[in-house]
Amino acid sequence: MKYWLMKTEPDVFSWADLEQKKIASWDGVRNYQARNFMRDEFEVGDKVLFYHSSCAEPGIAGIANIVRGSYADPTALDKNSEYFDPASLKSGQSRWVMVDLSPFKKFSKFASLAAIRQNVNLQSLLLLRKGQRLSIQPVTASDFAEIENTWG
DNA sequence: GCCAACGTTGGC
DNA sequence: GCCAACGTTGGC
């Protein structure tokens, strides 16, 4: 089983939205590195730290489960979608993929970015690296355990 | 709203 | 294949 961190703007899609939907398609990823993680490495059962970004209090709200592996993201071909990708339409197929996930556990205490920063055991977390903008990041088993044990 | 740090695009 | 210009991310 692998561990990941996935960023989302809560104004667009939040942990509460995930709990309400039960199963959500993670569409709209338009970055090759992030796509390749989903396409090549994501497996059903992987665990995901659900991260709220670009908001008043950035941080991890809970843990989600991958319930379906990667498949074509159809929004790339949809002219009316904000995620429309002209290059995909031109080639006739979406070059982007998505996965499905479900809520697994809401954290008992929200793991704010500020609090994560202060944890001496999490200093190698990619999220804390300067200039790190990847919306999907791998997380080590030990970092995942530290986060779950501290805030889960 | 600012801006640093990236990623992508496109002319050459 | 280089690289300048441009666009995006995301914390603050």
Side-chain angles (χ1 to χ4, degrees), chain A residues 19-49:
Chain A
E19 284 191 332
Q20 197 184 356
K21 276 195 91 173
K22 305 280 200 287
I23 295 179
S25 297
W26 203 263
D27 59 11
V29 172
R30 295 293 179 266
N31 170 282
Y32 282 112
Q33 228 182 319
R35 180 202 68 177
N36 293 348
F37 281 135
M38 288 195 289
R39 189 188 62 187
D40 304 334
E41 299 194 41
F42 270 54
E43 288 174 19
V44 171
D46 283 0
K47 287 207 158 61
V48 174
L49 299 171

mmCIF file of all heavy atoms in Angstrom, chain A residues 19-49:
data_model
loop_
_atom_site.group_PDB
_atom_site.id
_atom_site.type_symbol
_atom_site.label_atom_id
_atom_site.label_comp_id
_atom_site.label_asym_id
_atom_site.label_seq_id
_atom_site.Cartn_x
_atom_site.Cartn_y
_atom_site.Cartn_z
ATOM 1 N N GLU A 19 -17.123 13.874 2.114
ATOM 2 C CA GLU A 19 -17.969 13.083 3.018
ATOM 3 C C GLU A 19 -19.397 13.016 2.499
ATOM 4 O O GLU A 19 -20.058 11.989 2.611
ATOM 5 C CB GLU A 19 -17.945 13.690 4.429
ATOM 6 C CG GLU A 19 -16.657 13.381 5.182
ATOM 7 C CD GLU A 19 -16.748 13.742 6.662
ATOM 8 O OE1 GLU A 19 -17.523 14.655 7.005
ATOM 9 O OE2 GLU A 19 -16.018 13.112 7.454
ATOM 10 N N GLN A 20 -19.850 14.111 1.934
ATOM 11 C CA GLN A 20 -21.215 14.144 1.414
ATOM 12 C C GLN A 20 -21.364 13.271 0.164
ATOM 13 O O GLN A 20 -22.357 12.578 -0.007
ATOM 14 C CB GLN A 20 -21.607 15.590 1.113
ATOM 15 C CG GLN A 20 -23.108 15.764 0.975
ATOM 16 C CD GLN A 20 -23.500 17.178 0.568
ATOM 17 O OE1 GLN A 20 -22.658 18.074 0.462
ATOM 18 N NE2 GLN A 20 -24.776 17.382 0.338
ATOM 19 N N LYS A 21 -20.340 13.327 -0.699
ATOM 20 C CA LYS A 21 -20.426 12.585 -1.957
ATOM 21 C C LYS A 21 -20.180 11.095 -1.813
ATOM 22 O O LYS A 21 -20.575 10.302 -2.648
ATOM 23 C CB LYS A 21 -19.410 13.160 -2.967
ATOM 24 C CG LYS A 21 -19.902 14.364 -3.715
ATOM 25 C CD LYS A 21 -19.023 14.658 -4.919
ATOM 26 C CE LYS A 21 -19.506 13.974 -6.164
ATOM 27 N NZ LYS A 21 -18.762 14.392 -7.373
ATOM 28 N N LYS A 22 -19.400 10.737 -0.778
ATOM 29 C CA LYS A 22 -19.025 9.342 -0.510
ATOM 30 C C LYS A 22 -17.959 8.818 -1.487
ATOM 31 O O LYS A 22 -16.990 8.198 -1.081
ATOM 32 C CB LYS A 22 -20.247 8.407 -0.565
ATOM 33 C CG LYS A 22 -21.380 8.825 0.364
ATOM 34 C CD LYS A 22 -21.118 8.393 1.793
ATOM 35 C CE LYS A 22 -22.398 8.360 2.620
ATOM 36 N NZ LYS A 22 -22.905 9.698 2.949
ATOM 37 N N ILE A 23 -18.193 9.038 -2.776
ATOM 38 C CA ILE A 23 -17.166 8.696 -3.765
ATOM 39 C C ILE A 23 -16.985 9.898 -4.686
ATOM 40 O O ILE A 23 -17.965 10.437 -5.197
ATOM 41 C CB ILE A 23 -17.573 7.475 -4.613
ATOM 42 C CG1 ILE A 23 -17.663 6.225 -3.727
ATOM 43 C CG2 ILE A 23 -16.557 7.235 -5.735
ATOM 44 C CD1 ILE A 23 -18.098 4.973 -4.487
ATOM 45 N N ALA A 24 -15.732 10.306 -4.878
ATOM 46 C CA ALA A 24 -15.471 11.471 -5.717
ATOM 47 C C ALA A 24 -14.408 11.151 -6.757
ATOM 48 O O ALA A 24 -13.438 10.446 -6.477
ATOM 49 C CB ALA A 24 -14.997 12.645 -4.852
ATOM 50 N N SER A 25 -14.618 11.669 -7.976
ATOM 51 C CA SER A 25 -13.611 11.557 -9.028
ATOM 52 C C SER A 25 -12.664 12.746 -8.920
ATOM 53 O O SER A 25 -13.103 13.890 -8.881
ATOM 54 C CB SER A 25 -14.276 11.581 -10.402
ATOM 55 O OG SER A 25 -15.112 10.456 -10.535
ATOM 56 N N TRP A 26 -11.369 12.435 -8.889
ATOM 57 C CA TRP A 26 -10.367 13.499 -8.718
ATOM 58 C C TRP A 26 -9.978 14.033 -10.091
ATOM 59 O O TRP A 26 -8.893 13.771 -10.587
ATOM 60 C CB TRP A 26 -9.153 12.934 -7.980
ATOM 61 C CG TRP A 26 -8.362 13.996 -7.287
ATOM 62 C CD1 TRP A 26 -7.235 14.616 -7.760
ATOM 63 C CD2 TRP A 26 -8.622 14.573 -6.004
ATOM 64 N NE1 TRP A 26 -6.800 15.549 -6.858
ATOM 65 C CE2 TRP A 26 -7.623 15.539 -5.775
ATOM 66 C CE3 TRP A 26 -9.611 14.367 -5.036
ATOM 67 C CZ2 TRP A 26 -7.581 16.295 -4.603
ATOM 68 C CZ3 TRP A 26 -9.549 15.129 -3.873
ATOM 69 C CH2 TRP A 26 -8.547 16.075 -3.669
ATOM 70 N N ASP A 27 -10.887 14.776 -10.713
ATOM 71 C CA ASP A 27 -10.609 15.256 -12.065
ATOM 72 C C ASP A 27 -9.858 16.583 -12.023
ATOM 73 O O ASP A 27 -9.666 17.177 -10.969
ATOM 74 C CB ASP A 27 -11.904 15.378 -12.869
ATOM 75 C CG ASP A 27 -12.904 16.329 -12.208
ATOM 76 O OD1 ASP A 27 -12.533 17.041 -11.259
ATOM 77 O OD2 ASP A 27 -14.066 16.350 -12.639
ATOM 78 N N GLY A 28 -9.400 17.017 -13.187
ATOM 79 C CA GLY A 28 -8.799 18.338 -13.289
ATOM 80 C C GLY A 28 -7.304 18.423 -13.057
ATOM 81 O O GLY A 28 -6.738 19.508 -13.130
ATOM 82 N N VAL A 29 -6.654 17.306 -12.775
ATOM 83 C CA VAL A 29 -5.194 17.355 -12.609
ATOM 84 C C VAL A 29 -4.561 17.594 -13.980
ATOM 85 O O VAL A 29 -4.797 16.840 -14.920
ATOM 86 C CB VAL A 29 -4.654 16.045 -11.991
ATOM 87 C CG1 VAL A 29 -3.133 16.022 -12.015
ATOM 88 C CG2 VAL A 29 -5.186 15.884 -10.576
ATOM 89 N N ARG A 30 -3.785 18.669 -14.087
ATOM 90 C CA ARG A 30 -3.205 19.062 -15.374
ATOM 91 C C ARG A 30 -1.699 19.290 -15.222
ATOM 92 O O ARG A 30 -1.151 20.278 -15.685
ATOM 93 C CB ARG A 30 -3.888 20.337 -15.896
ATOM 94 C CG ARG A 30 -5.365 20.151 -16.217
ATOM 95 C CD ARG A 30 -5.586 19.232 -17.401
ATOM 96 N NE ARG A 30 -7.005 19.038 -17.700
ATOM 97 C CZ ARG A 30 -7.718 18.018 -17.232
ATOM 98 N NH1 ARG A 30 -7.164 17.112 -16.426
ATOM 99 N NH2 ARG A 30 -8.977 17.888 -17.570
ATOM 100 N N ASN A 31 -1.064 18.363 -14.575
ATOM 101 C CA ASN A 31 0.382 18.432 -14.369
ATOM 102 C C ASN A 31 0.922 17.021 -14.596
ATOM 103 O O ASN A 31 0.387 16.057 -14.047
ATOM 104 C CB ASN A 31 0.675 18.930 -12.943
ATOM 105 C CG ASN A 31 2.135 18.805 -12.557
ATOM 106 O OD1 ASN A 31 2.591 17.710 -12.220
ATOM 107 N ND2 ASN A 31 2.866 19.901 -12.596
ATOM 108 N N TYR A 32 1.950 16.918 -15.415
ATOM 109 C CA TYR A 32 2.436 15.597 -15.825
ATOM 110 C C TYR A 32 2.944 14.757 -14.655
ATOM 111 O O TYR A 32 2.691 13.556 -14.580
ATOM 112 C CB TYR A 32 3.531 15.735 -16.877
ATOM 113 C CG TYR A 32 2.996 16.042 -18.261
ATOM 114 C CD1 TYR A 32 3.234 17.271 -18.861
ATOM 115 C CD2 TYR A 32 2.232 15.107 -18.960
ATOM 116 C CE1 TYR A 32 2.738 17.562 -20.123
ATOM 117 C CE2 TYR A 32 1.732 15.382 -20.212
ATOM 118 C CZ TYR A 32 1.990 16.609 -20.801
ATOM 119 O OH TYR A 32 1.481 16.892 -22.041
ATOM 120 N N GLN A 33 3.682 15.379 -13.770
ATOM 121 C CA GLN A 33 4.228 14.616 -12.650
ATOM 122 C C GLN A 33 3.104 14.036 -11.784
ATOM 123 O O GLN A 33 3.131 12.869 -11.392
ATOM 124 C CB GLN A 33 5.127 15.525 -11.812
ATOM 125 C CG GLN A 33 6.472 14.911 -11.489
ATOM 126 C CD GLN A 33 7.313 15.831 -10.615
ATOM 127 O OE1 GLN A 33 7.335 17.047 -10.822
ATOM 128 N NE2 GLN A 33 8.011 15.248 -9.649
ATOM 129 N N ALA A 34 2.120 14.876 -11.523
ATOM 130 C CA ALA A 34 0.988 14.424 -10.712
ATOM 131 C C ALA A 34 0.205 13.339 -11.458
ATOM 132 O O ALA A 34 -0.197 12.328 -10.880
ATOM 133 C CB ALA A 34 0.083 15.609 -10.372
ATOM 134 N N ARG A 35 0.016 13.554 -12.744
ATOM 135 C CA ARG A 35 -0.696 12.555 -13.551
ATOM 136 C C ARG A 35 0.021 11.217 -13.515
ATOM 137 O O ARG A 35 -0.597 10.152 -13.381
ATOM 138 C CB ARG A 35 -0.806 13.018 -15.003
ATOM 139 C CG ARG A 35 -1.539 12.009 -15.877
ATOM 140 C CD ARG A 35 -1.219 12.163 -17.344
ATOM 141 N NE ARG A 35 0.165 11.802 -17.650
ATOM 142 C CZ ARG A 35 0.674 11.805 -18.878
ATOM 143 N NH1 ARG A 35 -0.070 12.178 -19.898
ATOM 144 N NH2 ARG A 35 1.934 11.467 -19.078
ATOM 145 N N ASN A 36 1.344 11.270 -13.659
ATOM 146 C CA ASN A 36 2.109 10.024 -13.717
ATOM 147 C C ASN A 36 2.035 9.245 -12.407
ATOM 148 O O ASN A 36 2.029 8.014 -12.417
ATOM 149 C CB ASN A 36 3.561 10.313 -14.090
ATOM 150 C CG ASN A 36 3.686 10.833 -15.514
ATOM 151 O OD1 ASN A 36 2.727 10.766 -16.299
ATOM 152 N ND2 ASN A 36 4.851 11.363 -15.849
ATOM 153 N N PHE A 37 1.977 9.955 -11.300
ATOM 154 C CA PHE A 37 1.767 9.252 -10.026
ATOM 155 C C PHE A 37 0.454 8.484 -10.077
ATOM 156 O O PHE A 37 0.389 7.308 -9.722
ATOM 157 C CB PHE A 37 1.743 10.236 -8.857
ATOM 158 C CG PHE A 37 3.098 10.688 -8.403
ATOM 159 C CD1 PHE A 37 3.350 12.030 -8.138
ATOM 160 C CD2 PHE A 37 4.135 9.763 -8.212
ATOM 161 C CE1 PHE A 37 4.595 12.455 -7.712
ATOM 162 C CE2 PHE A 37 5.383 10.190 -7.781
ATOM 163 C CZ PHE A 37 5.615 11.542 -7.532
ATOM 164 N N MET A 38 -0.599 9.140 -10.518
ATOM 165 C CA MET A 38 -1.912 8.475 -10.562
ATOM 166 C C MET A 38 -1.890 7.313 -11.549
ATOM 167 O O MET A 38 -2.362 6.223 -11.248
ATOM 168 C CB MET A 38 -3.010 9.474 -10.955
ATOM 169 C CG MET A 38 -3.338 10.466 -9.875
ATOM 170 S SD MET A 38 -4.900 11.345 -10.166
ATOM 171 C CE MET A 38 -4.458 12.398 -11.536
ATOM 172 N N ARG A 39 -1.342 7.579 -12.730
ATOM 173 C CA ARG A 39 -1.382 6.585 -13.805
ATOM 174 C C ARG A 39 -0.513 5.364 -13.500
ATOM 175 O O ARG A 39 -0.899 4.226 -13.766
ATOM 176 C CB ARG A 39 -0.907 7.237 -15.114
ATOM 177 C CG ARG A 39 -1.107 6.395 -16.352
ATOM 178 C CD ARG A 39 -0.437 7.038 -17.550
ATOM 179 N NE ARG A 39 1.016 7.143 -17.346
ATOM 180 C CZ ARG A 39 1.841 7.777 -18.176
ATOM 181 N NH1 ARG A 39 1.365 8.370 -19.250
ATOM 182 N NH2 ARG A 39 3.133 7.827 -17.925
ATOM 183 N N ASP A 40 0.658 5.604 -12.943
ATOM 184 C CA ASP A 40 1.646 4.537 -12.812
ATOM 185 C C ASP A 40 1.726 3.914 -11.423
ATOM 186 O O ASP A 40 2.225 2.809 -11.271
ATOM 187 C CB ASP A 40 3.040 5.066 -13.176
ATOM 188 C CG ASP A 40 3.078 5.670 -14.576
ATOM 189 O OD1 ASP A 40 2.247 5.270 -15.417
ATOM 190 O OD2 ASP A 40 3.914 6.562 -14.817
ATOM 191 N N GLU A 41 1.271 4.627 -10.419
ATOM 192 C CA GLU A 41 1.536 4.128 -9.068
ATOM 193 C C GLU A 41 0.311 3.975 -8.178
ATOM 194 O O GLU A 41 0.352 3.234 -7.204
ATOM 195 C CB GLU A 41 2.552 5.046 -8.371
ATOM 196 C CG GLU A 41 3.893 5.094 -9.112
ATOM 197 C CD GLU A 41 4.982 5.715 -8.255
ATOM 198 O OE1 GLU A 41 5.031 5.409 -7.051
ATOM 199 O OE2 GLU A 41 5.761 6.524 -8.795
ATOM 200 N N PHE A 42 -0.752 4.688 -8.488
ATOM 201 C CA PHE A 42 -1.918 4.601 -7.610
ATOM 202 C C PHE A 42 -2.565 3.229 -7.710
ATOM 203 O O PHE A 42 -2.735 2.680 -8.791
ATOM 204 C CB PHE A 42 -2.953 5.658 -7.981
ATOM 205 C CG PHE A 42 -2.765 6.970 -7.261
ATOM 206 C CD1 PHE A 42 -1.545 7.625 -7.310
ATOM 207 C CD2 PHE A 42 -3.799 7.545 -6.548
ATOM 208 C CE1 PHE A 42 -1.364 8.840 -6.657
ATOM 209 C CE2 PHE A 42 -3.621 8.765 -5.887
ATOM 210 C CZ PHE A 42 -2.418 9.408 -5.938
ATOM 211 N N GLU A 43 -2.926 2.688 -6.551
ATOM 212 C CA GLU A 43 -3.644 1.422 -6.518
ATOM 213 C C GLU A 43 -4.820 1.536 -5.562
ATOM 214 O O GLU A 43 -4.780 2.306 -4.597
ATOM 215 C CB GLU A 43 -2.715 0.294 -6.030
ATOM 216 C CG GLU A 43 -1.664 -0.105 -7.057
ATOM 217 C CD GLU A 43 -0.676 -1.122 -6.488
ATOM 218 O OE1 GLU A 43 -1.003 -1.771 -5.481
ATOM 219 O OE2 GLU A 43 0.412 -1.235 -7.056
ATOM 220 N N VAL A 44 -5.836 0.746 -5.845
ATOM 221 C CA VAL A 44 -6.975 0.690 -4.934
ATOM 222 C C VAL A 44 -6.474 0.304 -3.546
ATOM 223 O O VAL A 44 -5.691 -0.626 -3.406
ATOM 224 C CB VAL A 44 -8.016 -0.330 -5.434
ATOM 225 C CG1 VAL A 44 -9.104 -0.558 -4.392
ATOM 226 C CG2 VAL A 44 -8.628 0.148 -6.748
ATOM 227 N N GLY A 45 -6.915 1.053 -2.545
ATOM 228 C CA GLY A 45 -6.488 0.794 -1.170
ATOM 229 C C GLY A 45 -5.417 1.743 -0.677
ATOM 230 O O GLY A 45 -5.174 1.815 0.530
ATOM 231 N N ASP A 46 -4.780 2.462 -1.597
ATOM 232 C CA ASP A 46 -3.798 3.467 -1.165
ATOM 233 C C ASP A 46 -4.491 4.505 -0.288
ATOM 234 O O ASP A 46 -5.680 4.790 -0.463
ATOM 235 C CB ASP A 46 -3.179 4.178 -2.376
ATOM 236 C CG ASP A 46 -2.131 3.330 -3.083
ATOM 237 O OD1 ASP A 46 -1.876 2.191 -2.640
ATOM 238 O OD2 ASP A 46 -1.566 3.812 -4.090
ATOM 239 N N LYS A 47 -3.714 5.079 0.638
ATOM 240 C CA LYS A 47 -4.278 6.076 1.548
ATOM 241 C C LYS A 47 -3.770 7.473 1.188
ATOM 242 O O LYS A 47 -2.615 7.657 0.797
ATOM 243 C CB LYS A 47 -3.925 5.720 2.987
ATOM 244 C CG LYS A 47 -4.718 4.530 3.501
ATOM 245 C CD LYS A 47 -4.862 4.600 5.013
ATOM 246 C CE LYS A 47 -6.052 3.790 5.482
ATOM 247 N NZ LYS A 47 -5.915 2.359 5.139
ATOM 248 N N VAL A 48 -4.672 8.431 1.347
ATOM 249 C CA VAL A 48 -4.411 9.799 0.879
ATOM 250 C C VAL A 48 -4.646 10.813 1.997
ATOM 251 O O VAL A 48 -5.716 10.817 2.620
ATOM 252 C CB VAL A 48 -5.355 10.128 -0.301
ATOM 253 C CG1 VAL A 48 -5.217 11.591 -0.703
ATOM 254 C CG2 VAL A 48 -5.084 9.217 -1.491
ATOM 255 N N LEU A 49 -3.652 11.652 2.232
ATOM 256 C CA LEU A 49 -3.845 12.788 3.121
ATOM 257 C C LEU A 49 -4.564 13.879 2.326
ATOM 258 O O LEU A 49 -4.069 14.325 1.290
ATOM 259 C CB LEU A 49 -2.491 13.305 3.636
ATOM 260 C CG LEU A 49 -1.682 12.297 4.450
ATOM 261 C CD1 LEU A 49 -0.275 12.824 4.720
ATOM 262 C CD2 LEU A 49 -2.381 11.959 5.766
#
